[in-house]
Amino acid sequence: MDGHPSPRSHHQPPPPERDGSFNYDIESLDGGGGGGGGAWRGRYESSEALLRYDDEAGGGPRQPLLRKRTMNTTSQIAIVGANVCPIESLDYEIVENDLFKQDWRSRKKKQIFQYIVLKWALVLLIGMLTGIVGFFNNLAVENIAGLKLLLTSDLMLKQRYFTAFLAYGGCNLVLATTAAAICAYIAPAAAGSGIPEVKAYLNGVDAYSILAPSTLFVKIFGSILGVSAGFVLGKEGPMVHTGACIANLLGQGGSRKYHLTWNWLRYFKNDRDRRDLITCGSAAGVAAAFRAPVGGVLFALEEAASWWRSALLWRTFFTTAVVAVVLRGLIEFCRSGKCGLFGQGGLIMFDLSSTIPTYTAQDVVAIIVLGIIGGVFGGLFNFLLDRILRAYSIINERGPPFKILLTMIISIITSACSYGLPWLAPCTPCPADAAEECPTIGRSGNFKNFQCPPGHYNGLASLFFNTNDDAIRNLFSSGTEKEFHMSTLFVFFTAIYCLGLVTYGIAVPSGLFIPVILAGATYGRIVGTLLGPISDLDPGLFALLGAASFLGGTMRMTVSVCVILLELTNDLHMLPLVMLVLLISKTIADSFNKGVYDQIVVMKGLPFMEAHAEPFMRNLVAGDVVSGPLITFSGVEKVGNIVHALRITGHNGFPVVDEPPVSEAPELVGLVLRSHLLVLLKGRSFMKEKVKTSGSFVLRRFGAFDFAKPGSGKGLKIEDLDLTDEELDMYVDLHPITNTSPYTVVETMSLAKAAVLFRALGLRHLLVVPKTPGRPPIVGILTRHDFMHEHIHGLFPNLGKSH
């Protein structure tokens, strides 16, 4: 907007120069990709800043994690996957304009019935497809990893140990490099678990390709390759992102590009319905990953979704139930031996129901100790992961070759640990009462031969030389008190803890659930062995409780983790102990830092809005954070003015104000969206005179679905308009497309209350109106950006920061 006259501006005195390291050039209010206001531009003097907010409509970009960035003039940016992308807010508000009202009045019962049936049909499809993808992931991992381990094992039986290492490390390196390459070049947004991005999307934050088809493709195949490559990571986090991508794909309302648009799909061309479908998709992802349908619903409620209602609960429950049925049918099919190496492994299910626990007061003391250890280790894990991800961001920003190189280095280190460390473990004679073959050769099992003589097994190889799912199964196994030496458990815990930290930030789809469960189960078994003299609980049960304590300490989820673990182990008797250990570990860890996904959301620069306002916001009012001049349009506006405003700003909402002679005094009509203006201009419904119409021409020319939100990246852009000079001098009536009932607050409302209102209603724009008469009818617009800590502390450097 530099040097350009605005179409119409209500000028306010500029704010005083503020001390500190920011210099301001206030333009207009904008934030999170939205708003006819809030855009401010700042130049941060320190090149060492890790997190910065700058203007999205006229200045530098927000700076997540990174030291130096080029200027960005369209939107704030955030790290999505492993790349920096512009971000926007989502429109969850119903736009109540004349077109919407006419459409609602004309909607027949048949159409309402179609909408309801289609919504249930879509969640059914989401459940079925997510279940099939989850099964396919496990089938592929079990067979690829199984063939790799069989090849290595056969070479070791022939005592060709170095060749075995080359084969093992080489397979891992090829798989890892392929996963990193497709992720770095095809869909960088697929890196990581994807849970922070899904969580941010459901909070109202959109970013390019978060849920795109290319991201779905890479998430599925990159996760398969990454897990098969022996990395200490899981496919459970990526399954949440995969379920969300599937839901988004089905909720696009068809595809004009491939001529797959049907009238009955148009009902879902809005952010509200897509949000509900993606919530169902994220729940289905957890259900498919853990075979835990109720846990999936609770995960979506506790961790993923920002808005919830009873109808969504029922629909999500139905989705996860479908996933469970699909998985059960496919697993039964595989029991006949038609799925290669996929059998007892794969979809993790650790049946501990045969162990009936009876616990005493001494056992409860042991559980409390376990909870405290989990809280401390969890807080430390989050702290170290934060530092490692910040270091990795410097490498990842150098481009795809460096991302691939980093992945290859971590792959070599992982292979060296997995193959080298078992050589340090002693060979143990097979127990006489072993429930299964000892040693196990050519398949998964508790007793891996590795380099040991016949009749002996290597305990560390039994953990390292299996898939992660089988390693967890071995740790959870009951009646195996003496199977693993203490030294074996200590070495394995240290290796998994460290490898889990350094693996998560690489450019491969990777989840944290499995590394955390592995590490937690290991130290749980250590504690169980040490406290054996005072406790009667089986070490396998201690492993379960250790996994629960570490999950509580890192992710800070309680209810959903508790139910997921109970569904995983089929052991309801453990409920009180799992609840106790989760509550203790979460309480201890909360005193150190935030949950791991909350930390990653902040590190990525995603403007996530919490359900509560920060205490310092109570010292400010809404009018303190809005700034001018503010671009507004008349109810009947000149086409050239609208085009000019759209070209020079990135704002997504503009107030519409009627002025004399149209009205007796300046009057706020409502808010018009950028996307709606572009559709209206594209339709060329112009007039030669500046007169207010009844709007009937626009209502006849357009329908409500002409203004529906298109799929990702398919909307109209200002560059798509080709208007003549004559058309630019004509006028257009904005009344029919203006939202006449936008949410407004008075300028003296507490910023804390405004933040809670903004978050609770899922808004993108919140209009601020003056308290006293005789002033312009609107002061400014609050958007997501204006509630962010960095923005507020930039405006008021001396304001006490909350901790």
Side-chain angles (χ1 to χ4, degrees):
M1 289 173 60
D2 299 317
H4 295 288
S6 61
R8 180 166 291 97
S9 301
H10 296 297
H11 291 276
Q12 297 175 342
E17 187 74 28
R18 296 177 172 87
D19 59 282
S21 57
F22 286 82
N23 296 324
Y24 294 96
D25 177 14
I26 303 297
E27 290 185 351
S28 63
L29 196 87
D30 200 330
W40 56 282
R41 182 171 66 196
R43 187 174 70 253
Y44 200 67
E45 302 298 340
S46 169
S47 65
E48 295 299 316
L50 288 177
L51 262 171
R52 297 197 324 205
Y53 265 85
D54 279 271
D55 172 61
E56 78 165 352
R62 181 181 186 185
Q63 301 284 336
L65 285 175
L66 308 172
R67 296 185 176 186
K68 294 180 182 178
R69 286 284 170 210
T70 54
M71 302 296 274
N72 175 291
T73 58
T74 56
S75 181
Q76 297 176 54
I77 61 173
I79 296 177
V80 178
N83 264 19
V84 176
C85 305
I87 56 174
E88 287 193 351
S89 293
L90 296 167
D91 291 306
Y92 292 149
E93 183 184 356
I94 295 175
V95 179
E96 293 186 3
N97 54 27
D98 293 346
L99 283 163
F100 170 81
K101 293 171 185 174
Q102 176 181 271
D103 175 69
W104 189 252
R105 286 193 297 266
S106 63
R107 194 167 289 187
K108 301 179 177 64
K109 287 185 178 179
K110 176 186 174 183
Q111 292 173 308
I112 296 172
F113 179 75
Q114 270 183 345
Y115 170 74
I116 294 170
V117 169
L118 186 59
K119 204 162 192 178
W120 283 101
L122 282 177
V123 296
L124 173 68
L125 278 174
I126 291 168
M128 291 176 64
L129 290 175
T130 307
I132 291 169
V133 169
F135 176 79
F136 171 72
N137 279 9
N138 285 280
L139 181 66
V141 166
E142 285 290 310
N143 281 282
I144 295 172
L147 288 171
K148 176 189 71 178
L149 293 172
L150 277 176
L151 172 63
T152 310
S153 181
D154 288 343
L155 289 169
M156 293 192 73
L157 287 172
K158 298 173 184 175
Q159 297 189 346
R160 297 167 62 186
Y161 297 123
F162 186 70
T163 308
F165 173 66
L166 291 179
Y168 179 72
C171 289
N172 285 346
L173 191 61
V174 169
L175 291 167
T177 306
T178 307
I182 63 172
C183 185
Y185 285 105
I186 298 177
S193 74
I195 292 177
E197 283 87 349
V198 172
K199 186 174 179 177
Y201 185 94
L202 294 176
N203 188 258
V205 180
D206 192 13
Y208 175 73
S209 76
I210 279 184
L211 302 171
S214 59
T215 304
L216 173 62
F217 170 81
V218 174
K219 207 75 186 183
I220 294 171
F221 291 98
S223 178
I224 291 170
L225 293 169
V227 176
S228 301
F231 282 125
V232 181
L233 51 82
K235 50 193 178 294
E236 286 66 31
M239 270 307 301
V240 175
H241 197 176
T242 299
C245 288
I246 290 170
N248 182 65
L249 196 61
L250 292 173
Q252 289 287 327
S255 169
R256 290 179 184 173
K257 181 178 178 181
Y258 299 108
H259 306 290
L260 295 175
T261 299
W262 294 282
N263 284 336
W264 44 271
L265 277 174
R266 61 186 182 176
Y267 298 122
F268 296 93
K269 290 192 173 184
N270 63 80
D271 288 328
R272 292 181 309 283
D273 284 320
R274 286 180 194 165
R275 175 187 67 190
D276 290 353
L277 291 174
I278 288 165
T279 303
C280 292
S282 65
V286 174
F290 291 108
R291 285 170 65 189
V294 179
V297 174
L298 293 173
F299 173 85
L301 171 61
E302 184 177 5
E303 184 66 15
S306 293
W307 292 279
W308 198 264
R309 59 185 192 282
S310 57
L312 183 57
L313 174 67
W314 171 220
R315 208 168 285 121
T316 308
F317 185 69
F318 173 72
T319 311
T320 58
V322 171
V323 172
V325 171
V326 169
L327 287 179
R328 173 68 67 176
L330 291 172
I331 290 169
E332 288 300 324
F333 171 77
C334 276
R335 291 196 193 280
S336 61
K338 297 177 181 177
C339 298
L341 297 170
F342 183 87
Q344 293 298 314
L347 287 156
I348 51 179
M349 184 72 178
F350 319 114
D351 195 343
L352 298 179
S353 57
S354 58
T355 307
I356 308 298
T358 56
Y359 38 88
T360 60
Q362 291 96 323
D363 296 326
V364 174
V365 172
I367 302 310
I368 292 172
V369 171
L370 206 54
I372 294 171
I373 294 172
V376 172
F377 277 146
L380 178 64
F381 187 90
N382 290 3
F383 172 79
L384 294 174
L385 189 65
D386 179 274
R387 295 297 181 270
I388 289 168
L389 289 179
R390 290 177 187 274
Y392 279 3
S393 69
I394 300 169
I395 299 170
N396 287 335
E397 70 176 329
R398 295 177 179 271
F402 286 88
K403 295 178 186 177
I404 297 170
L405 181 62
L406 176 62
T407 305
M408 293 172 70
I409 292 170
I410 300 299
S411 174
I412 293 168
I413 293 171
T414 304
S415 297
C417 289
S418 300
Y419 189 87
L421 290 176
W423 289 89
L424 304 176
C427 291
T428 308
C430 289
D433 57 345
E436 58 180 272
E437 180 188 346
C438 178
T440 49
I441 298 171
R443 62 182 182 85
S444 61
N446 278 29
F447 306 103
K448 285 288 183 180
N449 181 256
F450 206 63
Q451 90 290 9
C452 294
H456 292 69
Y457 72 95
N458 186 315
L460 204 48
S462 300
L463 299 174
F464 272 122
F465 247 64
N466 267 319
T467 60
N468 290 333
D469 293 352
D470 283 326
I472 295 172
R473 187 173 288 105
N474 292 347
L475 288 167
F476 279 7
S477 59
S478 57
T480 54
E481 293 85 351
K482 298 178 181 178
E483 180 180 330
F484 299 107
H485 292 284
M486 287 294 289
S487 59
T488 295
L489 294 173
F490 273 112
V491 170
F492 186 70
F493 170 72
T494 305
I496 291 299
Y497 195 90
C498 296
L499 288 173
L501 283 168
V502 299
T503 304
Y504 183 73
I506 61 177
V508 169
S510 52
L512 280 172
F513 272 101
I514 291 300
V516 168
I517 291 175
L518 266 176
T522 308
Y523 75 67
R525 206 169 177 97
I526 292 172
V527 171
T529 305
L530 290 175
L531 299 180
I534 67 166
S535 174
D536 295 328
L537 287 181
D538 189 275
L541 297 178
F542 267 107
L544 167 65
L545 294 169
S549 72
F550 203 20
L551 284 167
T554 52
M555 300 180 184
R556 315 296 160 82
M557 294 182 285
T558 52
V559 181
S560 55
V561 166
C562 182
V563 173
I564 286 170
L565 286 174
L566 292 178
E567 289 184 283
L568 267 180
T569 57
N570 194 25
D571 193 359
L572 195 59
H573 295 286
M574 293 297 290
L575 177 62
L577 297 183
V578 173
M579 291 171 66
L580 178 63
V581 79
L582 277 168
L583 290 171
I584 293 171
S585 63
K586 174 177 162 45
T587 304
I588 296 293
D590 278 340
S591 63
F592 297 116
N593 45 39
K594 287 186 173 183
V596 64
Y597 295 130
D598 294 324
Q599 280 191 176
I600 294 171
V601 163
V602 172
M603 280 190 290
K604 285 178 175 288
L606 296 164
F608 188 88
M609 288 198 70
E610 299 288 352
H612 60 276
E614 295 296 337
F616 68 82
M617 290 185 178
R618 302 195 182 281
N619 300 322
L620 299 171
V621 295
D624 289 335
V625 295
V626 299
S627 48
L630 173 68
I631 296 178
T632 66
F633 293 135
S634 288
V636 181
E637 185 59 85
K638 191 175 182 180
V639 173
N641 287 346
I642 298 173
V643 170
H644 182 65
L646 295 178
R647 286 190 190 281
I648 64 175
T649 72
H651 306 339
N652 283 283
F654 299 88
V656 176
V657 176
D658 273 344
E659 296 180 341
V662 177
S663 59
E664 294 182 3
E667 176 184 287
L668 177 64
V669 178
L671 187 80
V672 65
L673 298 179
R674 179 188 192 90
S675 57
H676 291 187
L677 286 170
L678 290 170
V679 173
L680 187 65
L681 294 175
K682 185 79 172 176
R684 289 177 164 77
S685 302
F686 304 146
M687 307 174 295
K688 291 187 177 179
E689 302 295 330
K690 186 176 181 179
V691 292
K692 182 178 180 180
T693 66
S694 63
S696 57
F697 176 72
V698 173
L699 294 177
R700 287 195 303 271
R701 179 82 164 70
F702 297 98
F705 289 112
D706 292 321
F707 294 89
K709 185 171 181 176
S712 303
K714 300 172 187 172
L716 274 175
K717 297 179 176 61
I718 185 64
E719 294 78 14
D720 298 332
L721 300 181
D722 185 19
L723 301 174
T724 64
D725 290 341
E726 182 182 356
E727 288 172 327
L728 291 173
D729 287 331
M730 298 176 76
Y731 294 87
V732 62
D733 189 356
L734 302 181
H735 290 93
I737 65 167
T738 299
N739 181 4
T740 54
S741 54
Y743 287 96
T744 61
V745 295
V746 70
E747 61 184 337
T748 54
M749 174 182 268
S750 157
L751 189 62
K753 279 191 174 182
V756 171
L757 178 71
F758 191 95
R759 164 66 158 71
L761 296 174
L763 302 180
R764 186 176 190 176
H765 307 104
L766 182 60
L767 277 59
V768 181
V769 296
K771 186 176 183 180
T772 55
R775 294 166 57 192
I778 180 166
V779 175
I781 301 178
L782 289 172
T783 59
R784 178 178 295 267
H785 170 67
D786 299 302
F787 295 106
M788 295 295 107
H789 298 181
E790 291 81 6
H791 173 50
I792 296 171
H793 289 304
L795 293 173
F796 303 97
N798 297 323
L799 189 68
K801 293 190 178 184
S802 66
H803 298 284

